[in-house]
């Protein structure tokens, strides 16, 4: 179990207690706690509960004696007798349409466990952490063994966060889905862009997983850029991060210069609106396609699956104009209770060559007027933080 502590794409490791493809029906005639009481009593009768509890106790005792494992042994672990009554906490994650909330699910499950096992619930001083995951009708339940360690520095550091800050595990999923962590970038530096960086969590995770990268963080919100600058201080040497204020639909970058793009696109809830996204997404995706290199990749995170697929189909119809995407992979994830999707897009050789040839023939010059606001923002951030340099060649 100690090997799980080095996983990058997981925040915690749980011992699976139960997996059911059909959650007990709740038509409102019986309280949710009563329904879960019956459901849990069946699992206890099957012996699954006792087996999982025995394994959890054995692991916890071994961790406290050896000083190794996912959970560092503390005074409470060394002094607590595992045969005594446990203090537990229940947390719940839910996606889909249900007649109850995640908090109601957690509290009802806690009531059922207390009535069947006699344990006492405790929000803070608890020994056992129980997680319930409900995805539509699929129900998972498990005992928490501990947290992973690769991103402990991000969790413990006094980071500046925003309402849309991504969890490090999701950022790691984006990097792994793109394939950047599997590339050999020792020969030349890899250019990576986060056009809507927010507080800069993606760049922090990316630089910790991949060496020899040049990461460019950009956002239209100056407060987000300031938070990103502060959060990215003291990262691993060998990587470089610059910061620019720009419009995500009009990136001031040369055509065919970027290797990877990671974008946590606005969901239209906390930032922007769904109506604005119908014009923002098409413009942004066209801009991403222009600045990517041959065989470059763009990894997008969004909840608006239909809008992205519609734009991909539109670009396929306009392939002769140089606006064609290649959908490499698509994944569904649970993002804070929202059904989100990850799209990994690549440029085809035909489209990329067409763009490069068009660029070389026309010999387009830099639009200095549109670049001046970004330069002023760079200088202002440099005077305030002094943590980056301005790369002129990238913008030429």
């Amino acid at each position: 179990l100690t090997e799980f502590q080095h996983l990058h794409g997981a925040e915690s490791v749980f011992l699976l207690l139960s997996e059911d493809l059909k959650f007990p029906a709740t038509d409102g005639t019986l309280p949710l706690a009563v329904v879960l009481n019956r459901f849990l009593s069946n699992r206890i009768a099957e012996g699954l509960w006792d087996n999982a509890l025995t394994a959890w106790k054995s692991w916890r005792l071994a961790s406290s004696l050896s000083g190794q494992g996912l959970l560092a042994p503390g005074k409470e672990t060394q002094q607590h007798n595992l045969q005594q009554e446990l203090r537990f906490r229940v947390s719940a994650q839910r996606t889909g349409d249900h007649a109850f909330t995640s908090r109601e699910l957690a509290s009802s499950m806690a009531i059922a466990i207390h009535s069947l096992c006699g344990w006492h619930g405790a929000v803070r001083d608890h020994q056992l952490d129980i997680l319930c995951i409900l995805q539509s009708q699929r129900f998972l339940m498990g005992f928490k063994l501990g947290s992973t360690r690769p991103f402990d520095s991000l969790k413990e550091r006094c980071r500046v966060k925003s309402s849309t800050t991504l969890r490090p595990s999701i950022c790691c999923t984006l990097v792994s889905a793109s394939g950047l962590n599997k590339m050999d970038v020792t020969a030349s530096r890899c250019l990576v862009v986060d056009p809507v960086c927010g507080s800069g969590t993606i760049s922090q995770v990316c630089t910790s997983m991949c060496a020899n990268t040049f990461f460019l963080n950009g956002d239209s919100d100056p407060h987000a850029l300031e938070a990103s600058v502060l959060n990215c201080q003291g990262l691993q040497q060998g990587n470089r991060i610059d910061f620019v204020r720009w419009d995500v639909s009009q990136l001031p970058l040369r055509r065919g210069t970027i290797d990877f793009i990671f974008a946590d696109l606005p969901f239209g809830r906390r930032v922007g609106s769904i109506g604005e996204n119908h014009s923002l997404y098409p413009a942004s995706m066209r801009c991403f396609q222009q600045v990517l290199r041959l065989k470059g990749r763009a990894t997008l995170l969004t909840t608006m699956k239909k809008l992205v697929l519609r734009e991909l189909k539109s670009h396929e119809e306009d392939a002769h104009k140089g606006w064609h995407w290649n959908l490499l992979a698509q994944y569904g994830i649970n993002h804070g209770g929202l059904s989100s999707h990850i799209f990994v897009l690549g440029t085809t050789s035909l489209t990329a060559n067409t763009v490069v040839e068009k660029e070389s023939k026309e010999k387009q010059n830099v639009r200095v007027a549109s670049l001046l606001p970004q330069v002023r923002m760079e200088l202002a951030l440099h005077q305030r933080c002094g943590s980056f340099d301005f790369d002129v060649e990238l913008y030429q």
Side-chain angles (χ1 to χ4, degrees):
L1 291 176
T2 57
E3 297 180 359
F4 285 100
Q5 65 185 356
H6 302 296
L7 291 176
H8 286 79
E11 293 182 353
S12 302
V13 179
F14 287 83
L15 184 63
L16 182 62
L17 172 63
S18 175
E19 180 179 7
D20 297 88
L21 299 180
K22 188 175 181 181
F23 187 74
T26 54
D27 53 3
T29 57
L30 293 176
L32 180 60
V34 176
V35 176
L36 293 178
N37 189 301
R38 296 178 179 178
F39 168 79
L40 193 58
S41 61
N42 294 333
R43 296 297 173 269
I44 295 176
E46 295 172 359
L48 299 177
W49 185 274
D50 293 335
N51 294 338
L53 186 61
T54 301
W56 175 82
K57 288 181 178 180
S58 301
W59 168 85
R60 191 174 179 89
L61 181 60
S63 298
S64 63
L65 294 177
S66 63
Q68 299 177 356
L70 293 171
L71 181 63
K75 296 181 179 179
E76 176 269 333
T77 306
Q78 298 173 354
Q79 297 176 359
H80 177 67
N81 185 359
L82 293 178
Q83 302 300 327
Q84 297 177 356
E85 294 182 355
L86 291 176
R87 298 189 302 272
F88 72 98
R89 180 186 69 175
V90 179
S91 55
Q93 300 177 4
R94 183 187 58 84
T95 57
D97 296 330
H98 304 94
F100 48 84
T101 63
S102 300
R103 181 174 297 182
E104 292 173 348
L105 175 61
S107 59
S108 299
M109 180 61 73
I111 294 174
I113 294 175
H114 174 72
S115 62
L116 292 173
C117 303
W119 299 343
H120 298 287
V123 178
R124 295 183 179 179
D125 300 328
H126 56 274
Q127 287 87 30
L128 180 60
D129 197 348
I130 303 174
L131 175 65
C132 300
I133 301 177
L134 180 59
Q135 301 173 339
S136 186
Q137 293 299 320
R138 182 168 177 256
F139 182 71
L140 299 171
M141 187 175 180
F143 295 158
K144 182 178 180 179
L145 296 180
S147 302
T148 55
R149 296 179 179 176
F151 301 120
D152 281 346
S153 59
L154 296 182
K155 300 174 185 177
E156 298 174 357
R157 186 190 306 172
C158 183
R159 301 171 59 232
V160 181
K161 299 182 180 180
S162 64
S163 59
T164 58
T165 299
L166 289 177
R167 296 197 303 267
S169 58
I170 295 182
C171 299
C172 172
T173 303
L174 295 175
V175 177
S176 300
S178 69
L180 174 60
N181 57 326
K182 300 179 182 179
M183 292 188 59
D184 183 12
V185 293
T186 56
S188 60
R189 176 163 294 189
C190 189
L191 300 179
V192 186
V193 172
D194 183 357
V196 281
C197 65
S199 57
T201 308
I202 295 180
S203 60
Q204 298 173 66
V205 172
C206 183
T207 53
S208 64
M209 296 177 59
C210 311
N212 198 30
T213 59
F214 174 22
F215 214 100
L216 188 61
N217 279 348
D219 205 294
S220 60
D221 185 3
H223 300 289
L225 281 178
E226 293 179 8
S228 182
V229 170
L230 296 175
N231 291 333
C232 293
Q233 291 179 351
L235 293 179
Q236 296 180 359
Q237 296 182 355
N239 297 306
R240 174 179 171 183
I241 303 180
D242 279 357
F243 308 86
V244 182
R245 184 183 179 185
W246 58 29
D247 183 356
V248 65
S249 61
Q250 298 179 357
L251 300 180
L253 303 174
R254 290 176 55 189
R255 292 177 182 265
T257 56
I258 305 302
D259 296 295
F260 288 88
I261 294 178
F262 297 97
D264 177 19
L265 296 175
F267 294 174
R269 298 174 182 266
R270 297 177 180 176
V271 176
S273 64
I274 296 179
E276 294 177 354
N277 287 346
H278 282 274
S279 59
L280 177 65
Y281 277 42
S284 300
M285 293 178 65
R286 288 181 181 272
C287 186
F288 295 164
Q289 199 276 338
Q290 293 180 25
V291 301
L292 279 175
R293 293 180 185 268
L294 176 64
K295 298 182 181 180
R297 295 186 178 182
T299 306
L300 312 179
L301 174 64
T302 179
T303 57
M304 306 189 69
K305 173 183 176 180
K306 295 182 180 179
L307 179 57
V308 173
L309 293 178
R310 187 180 66 185
E311 290 306 315
L312 292 178
K313 184 178 180 180
S314 175
H315 292 178
E316 184 177 357
E317 295 174 354
D318 297 337
H320 63 283
K321 300 179 181 179
W323 301 113
H324 180 57
W325 278 112
N326 183 19
L327 179 59
L328 303 178
Q330 178 183 345
Y331 308 96
I333 64 171
N334 180 4
H335 181 201
L338 298 176
S339 179
S340 305
H341 298 270
I342 296 176
F343 293 90
V344 182
L345 309 178
T347 55
T348 61
S349 58
L350 176 62
T351 302
N353 289 333
T354 301
V355 173
V356 173
E357 292 175 0
K358 182 179 179 180
E359 176 72 15
S360 60
K361 291 180 180 179
E362 295 180 357
K363 295 182 180 181
Q364 296 181 356
N365 297 322
V366 178
R367 286 180 283 182
V368 180
S370 62
L371 185 60
L372 286 178
Q374 282 75 28
V375 177
R376 296 192 186 101
M377 185 61 190
E378 288 269 353
L379 296 176
L381 288 174
H382 178 70
Q383 294 176 357
R384 178 175 299 182
C385 304
S387 59
F388 60 90
D389 300 320
F390 185 75
D391 195 336
V392 179
E393 296 180 358
L394 183 64
Y395 298 94
Q396 291 181 347

